[in-house]
Amino acid sequence: MDLGLTGRKAIVCASSHGLGRACATALAQAGTTVVLNGRDAAALAAAAGALRDTGADVRTVAGDVGEERVQQALIEAADGQVDILVNNNGGPPLRDFRALDGEAIHAGVDANMVTPIRLVQKVIDGMIERRFGRIVCITSGSVKAPVPGLDLSSGARVGLTGFLAGVARQVAHANVTINFLLPGLFETRRLAGVHAFNAQANGMSVEQAEASARDRIPAKRFGDPREFGDACAFLCASSSGFMTGQSLLIDGGAYPGVL
């Protein structure tokens, strides 16, 4: 399927691993120039090399996306013309809410709410002027169904969703959309940490925690990051301009609600 993205420029934050890398891969396959980002320079170079082997135009900016200099470098790497922004950042480590001090709370909110908002502020006017823009924010399934140990992550991402939901309605007239992707349990590095936390909290082995988590998913498996990347590319497609301000949950049916 032609998504109408050939020649577009995309920034994908935190994209050297996991779901961010899956999104970058799908966008590169759709014909975009992709700017990758990650804190680990070696992992970033490896991810970029794998994408370049497919013939994609790939650029990299190493560093913490929360830093102003890194944000500016990302925009410059896209030649100052950002058509697609995929906001992503590592979530705070799983921990009991009682263990969170003020510094940890502020750091989590800064990484998962303030940083993506700042990036949107930097790129959105150019999108409006060019009459095309796609912003996708990777949040979490815990936005809809809170998960013990992810209270800080859930709170920051709910705040981001509420903030940008109003912005989405202000810019839709210019063919600029803002949507949210909510992952459930996917086969990524972070999943191992989830299993370890649940094992300790429930007095079971990591293997038992993993089996229990899988069994609670109606699909009876964890997600493949490629599925997530394809959903991201769909939201960025030229034909997706009438979908904005939405939270798309991808969790194998784990969330039991109808809304």
Side-chain angles (χ1 to χ4, degrees):
M1 179 180 177
D2 183 2
L3 300 180
L5 296 177
T6 300
R8 297 291 186 184
K9 292 186 174 67
I11 291 174
V12 185
C13 302
S15 47
S16 57
H17 292 286
L19 299 182
R21 180 169 176 174
C23 293
T25 299
L27 289 170
Q29 291 172 343
T32 67
T33 294
V34 181
V35 182
L36 301 183
N37 159 254
R39 300 183 190 187
D40 184 332
L44 184 62
L51 271 185
R52 290 190 183 112
D53 286 344
T54 69
D57 184 354
V58 181
R59 305 164 189 186
T60 62
V61 175
D64 182 348
V65 72
E67 297 180 10
E68 176 72 20
R69 65 171 184 83
V70 175
Q71 295 175 12
Q72 289 300 133
L74 286 168
I75 295 170
E76 291 170 8
D79 302 323
Q81 180 176 317
V82 181
D83 301 303
I84 296 166
L85 170 65
V86 180
N87 267 320
N88 185 34
N89 208 351
L94 284 89
R95 65 180 71 173
D96 186 278
F97 75 93
R98 300 173 186 83
L100 297 169
D101 59 18
E103 183 178 354
I105 292 171
H106 282 288
V109 171
D110 188 63
N112 297 130
M113 180 179 173
V114 177
T115 290
I117 289 172
R118 292 290 294 139
L119 280 163
V120 170
Q121 290 174 321
K122 291 180 187 322
V123 304
I124 202 162
D125 286 336
M127 292 177 172
I128 293 170
E129 291 171 7
R130 293 187 297 275
R131 311 295 289 187
F132 181 91
R134 300 287 183 263
I135 296 171
V136 176
C137 297
I138 299 175
T139 59
S140 171
S142 68
V143 167
K144 289 181 69 70
V147 176
L150 289 178
D151 310 284
L152 178 54
S153 173
S154 302
R157 297 182 198 279
V158 168
L160 174 67
T161 302
F163 188 104
L164 291 181
V167 177
R169 275 72 183 182
Q170 299 175 50
V171 300
H173 70 280
N175 189 30
V176 176
T177 67
I178 303 176
N179 290 294
F180 309 86
L181 277 179
L182 286 59
L185 296 180
F186 277 78
E187 292 279 9
T188 65
R189 295 185 305 167
R190 185 168 175 82
L191 186 57
V194 172
H195 296 327
F197 179 87
N198 288 333
Q200 183 177 21
N202 294 289
M204 60 177 68
S205 70
V206 172
E207 291 75 18
Q208 289 173 320
E210 179 179 347
S212 176
R214 185 184 295 108
D215 190 58
R216 290 195 300 271
I217 301 172
K220 301 304 178 186
R221 66 179 177 88
F222 301 121
D224 184 333
R226 289 177 295 183
E227 297 172 296
F228 192 86
D230 287 343
C232 179
F234 163 74
L235 290 177
C236 296
S238 61
S239 58
S240 297
F242 206 56
M243 182 176 183
T244 195
Q246 303 304 305
S247 291
L248 178 60
L249 178 65
I250 311 176
D251 69 348
Y255 175 67
V258 295
L259 296 174

